[in-house]
Amino acid sequence: MKTTHPTSLAPASADTGPPLARRADIDGLRALAILLVVAYHVWLGRVSGGVDVFLMVSAFFLTASFVRRVESQRPLALSSFWLRRFRRLLPAAAVTILGVLGVALSAYPQTEWPRVWREAWSSLFYVENWTLALSEVDYYARDSVTPSPFQHFWSLSVQGQVFVLWPLIIAAVWLVLRRRRHLVIPALAIVFGVIFVASLGFSIVETMRAQSFAYFDTRTRLWEFAAGSLVAIALPYVRVRPSIAALLGWIGIIGIVMCGIVLDVQGGFPGYLALWPVVCTALVIIAGRDAPRGGPAMILESAPLRFVSRDAYALYLVHWPVLVTWMMLSGRSAPGWLAGAGIVVVSFVLARIVSALVERPIRDAVALGRSRRLGVLVLAASVLVVAAPLAAWQITIEQRTAALMASDSGGYPGAAQIDSPIDLAVTDLPLMPLATALDDEWVDLKGSCAGELEPVEPALEGSCAQNATAEDSDASRVLVMGDSHAQQLMSPLTVLADQQGWGLVALLKGGCAIGIGAPTWSAAGPPCDEWRAAAIEYAIRVQPDAVYLVVTRATPASVEVLVEGVREIVDELTANGIQVIAVRDNPRFDFDMYECVLAESDAGPGADAASCDVPELAFADEDDFADLTSDDGVIAVDYRPWLCPDGVCRGSIGNVAVYIDDNHLSDSYGRTLAPMLAEMLNVGGRLEAEAG
């Protein structure tokens, strides 16, 4: 019996050349891998390594089909290959994305919507792996209690990229050797061998340096595809005794099943550890070539695995959003055995529906196979069915946000509500900022440092920003240095800078407070100690009128202290004639303060308005801050009276959310602190400002 086969999670059918001899064992292997993925995700909370099986198998079939074309001297027909491949993959994926969008609109917290939008676009256009990789090293990426419902699209994105890249590589080799076609297959073996070695080496190095980024990086996964291609090229020439083949097949199956139990796949892949599932998959493919008696085919070709195999692609698509939605609605991070069984049953039902109503009809439609135009229309319709409602949703929310920001309402006094309270009960206005606008709440000076303000220190590359007035030599110039708290506490300073015509420069690195020996939370870029030293060197070289520093550190559960080594830095700056504006840190919490106050706001007037209030934690030693700011050339800035009035830290004041997460001030609230900062600067020293 002859038929065609899927590539990885794709539905079964060939793309080029005459059909491959049926490998029911690989159908079963694919089904076994998806069952492992689902079971590990739902019940074990781990990653199984099954995706690595998919990646290798996809390259095996893709390469084998093109090799047959080369050997039979048929045209490669790349455009037809791409059209058929994505016509089969994209419609089911688009329906899944659309379904997730509908559930997110009706059931997900609004704070999750921007991530859903962003990753829906990425998944639709097969770049989700890069979106996830960049978010892993983005200090400012918003943390979420639950994973993304689109996170599993990372592997489909990598596959989609390889489905474009691999035919181009094969076509390039064919083009170079088209007059010596007998050399094409050996040349492909060499090319894929080089890719295997180079990508594996890169994968090992990057996994050691930045594993969370490497996990989603296409470049660290190319060797797994290359391994599948090498097996496809070598398989016709491999001969193994039946008894040995059966043994190798069982070793491969047992290795695949045990991989996720023995290895930390999520925390250790894809470096050399990923050789485990790749080698095991190769053993199963090679061992099953001649279907030896006593081999694992008796399991892989069984009826239960054949049943799973028919909906394997759809099951992979739907199981993860079902699991994440359960997490979102239940507020739990992991289901028990009973809830997990329900998640699996729902996933199988949805997979059957997607497969029967979308995937298989489109795949098997004769008219679509004959007409290129119809195939293109299917792809266009698949994109449009997601893009139209997604864009409409985003535009609607953006227009609502813009209208709210443009309204000249007195219902948002923010910090002014502490000193001059007004009756807000009758305003009936939504909380500012809106939940979908939190990404815009990071303080940004917009311009990169240029001219004499451009850092010459390599460690500062990419971390210096300035406002439009900073290059004006006649303007007073203030330099802000520090981590993300310095960035957000800079918000009132940006308002004063605009009012007074000050030049404002910021050296910022998330996770790196300015202090000798201070703790480090930064995972990207140069080490914090190196960056801090370069920042101090920059300040002394540029000679601003003042440096704005956060000099204390707060934590959710311990008293506030001075940042380690900050006294020495303050002394060094003042000794060089630079005034220091010493700022107290804002409180930090062990829960998301914004989501707490948003829930209060949504609950209405009857809700407990004090449920998000947190008693202020005192200094370890009140005299420390007083001693530091009593020196000549140092101005004390303390926003705590407007963050924690009467010793109670509040999540919203004057209809404005004070925080955007568990520890960062919102720009919307920070800007309302500008008059208070102006008064403190007037009282504190030479850098004067008129209260706005």
Side-chain angles (χ1 to χ4, degrees), residues 482-538:
D483 59 7
S484 56
H485 278 232
Q487 178 175 349
Q488 294 308 97
L489 288 166
M490 175 176 68
S491 181
L493 184 61
T494 63
V495 177
L496 290 189
D498 289 342
Q499 292 174 354
Q500 305 297 323
W502 294 342
L504 199 55
V505 183
L507 284 174
L508 302 169
K509 181 174 172 60
C512 292
I514 292 293
I516 300 170
T520 294
W521 287 275
S522 176
C528 279
D529 288 342
E530 181 182 341
W531 183 86
R532 290 169 183 142
I536 301 302
E537 181 181 332
Y538 175 91

Side-chain angles (χ1 to χ4, degrees), residues 652-668:
S652 67
I653 298 174
N655 252 359
V656 181
V658 182
Y659 303 93
I660 57 175
D661 50 29
D662 60 353
N663 71 104
H664 292 101
L665 209 67
S666 73
D667 185 36
S668 294

Side-chain angles (χ1 to χ4, degrees), residues 18 42 50 61 105 125 132 138 140 159 197 245 265 271 282 320 326 341 403 415 421 487 489 509 512 587 618 642 649:
V42 173
F61 281 113
L105 174 62
F125 292 107
L132 293 172
D138 182 3
Y140 297 93
Q159 282 183 313
V197 172
V265 175
W320 183 254
W326 178 88
Q487 178 175 349
L489 288 166
K509 181 174 172 60
C512 292
W642 302 279
C649 303

Side-chain angles (χ1 to χ4, degrees), residues 409-468:
S409 170
Y412 293 101
Q417 180 71 5
I418 302 300
D419 299 326
S420 304
I422 62 174
D423 184 8
L424 298 176
V426 296
T427 58
D428 193 28
L429 291 171
L431 185 71
M432 174 84 80
L434 295 178
T436 52
L438 296 185
D439 288 344
D440 298 327
E441 288 294 305
W442 293 102
V443 181
D444 185 3
L445 297 185
K446 305 301 184 183
S448 298
C449 294
E452 64 177 10
L453 297 176
E454 184 176 0
V456 297
E457 299 81 3
L460 301 181
E461 183 178 356
S463 65
C464 188
Q466 66 176 63
N467 67 359

